[in-house]
Amino acid sequence: MRGDERVQGMMLATVVLEDRVPADHPLRAIRRLVDPILGELSPQFEAMYSQAGRPSIPPEQLLRALLLQLLFSIRSERQLVDQLEYNLLYRWFVRLDLEASAWHATTFTKSSAAPARRVGEPEERPPEGRRLGSRGRFWECRRELSRREAEQRDASPGDGPGCAHGAQVVKLGVGPRV
């Protein structure tokens, strides 16, 4: 006998995101590396923000989200925010509460500029006992992703083998005149 598809609108559930992420998932190791670094940067973030006004998106969450964008090759902040709305793994990594809405893409883009610039600045001396590579490498990767995204966006939609629905592009007046 075929079962009925029952859709339950609203329900009370206790979900712990920590339990939903597999113990051996690679993002767990990355988060163990990232969290202490962001903890060290917390006083700098505190100095960057005003004590008056509306609370902003926490800079630690912004930077974790940008790291996700790089790790998973998410092409734009808009797509990243869409993923944060429903992807439990991403919510766990960013430490976004399960019941909280993801940020608006324009707010995310505008808010991520200040802490990202500040974190990209070189330190007076590197932290003792830590070799995480060049601080500029993060921004090199981000620039490269932006450049590739721009190339894809500027490419003609019908160029190459990936034409949608088998469409063919006809270019008029391109050949030599006879």
Side-chain angles (χ1 to χ4, degrees):
M1 179 166 115
R2 182 172 182 254
D4 291 333
E5 182 179 13
R6 293 187 184 154
V7 179
Q8 184 173 354
M10 181 78 167
M11 66 182 245
L12 177 64
T14 305
V15 177
V16 179
L17 285 177
E18 190 73 31
D19 297 340
R20 303 297 249 170
V21 179
D24 60 343
H25 197 282
L27 276 182
R28 283 193 179 272
I30 293 170
R31 190 164 129 178
R32 281 193 297 270
L33 285 173
V34 169
D35 283 350
I37 294 168
L38 291 175
E40 290 174 12
L41 292 172
S42 187
Q44 290 179 20
F45 293 144
E46 194 67 36
M48 288 171 51
Y49 288 86
S50 171
Q51 299 301 317
R54 189 176 66 185
S56 68
I57 301 170
E60 295 86 355
Q61 288 184 343
L62 291 170
L63 291 172
R64 282 189 198 101
L66 288 172
L67 185 57
L68 277 177
Q69 185 178 11
L70 286 172
L71 291 171
F72 289 95
S73 301
I74 301 171
R75 287 194 254 159
S76 69
E77 281 86 6
R78 185 168 305 281
Q79 288 178 343
L80 175 62
V81 170
D82 287 345
Q83 287 282 331
L84 282 170
E85 191 63 46
Y86 60 83
N87 189 323
L88 293 181
L89 178 66
Y90 291 0
R91 281 180 168 274
W92 170 82
F93 185 79
V94 171
R95 293 190 178 204
L96 187 60
D97 188 42
L98 187 59
E99 293 178 355
S101 294
W103 320 292
H104 192 273
T106 55
T107 305
F108 175 78
T109 302
K110 187 173 182 179
S111 298
S112 64
R117 265 195 315 270
R118 187 63 184 253
V119 170
E121 293 176 358
E123 291 184 6
E124 307 247 339
R125 61 186 179 88
E128 295 297 321
R130 221 188 261 156
R131 290 193 56 184
L132 295 174
S134 168
R135 284 207 179 267
R137 181 71 181 135
F138 177 85
W139 297 109
E140 285 178 36
C141 292
R142 187 153 164 86
R143 279 191 297 274
E144 179 66 17
L145 283 173
S146 296
R147 185 186 64 75
R148 288 183 184 181
E149 179 183 344
E151 286 176 359
Q152 287 178 350
R153 188 177 49 241
D154 294 342
S156 177
D159 289 349
C163 291
H165 309 293
Q168 294 183 359
V169 176
V170 177
K171 295 183 179 180
L172 302 175
V174 177
R177 290 192 170 172
V178 180

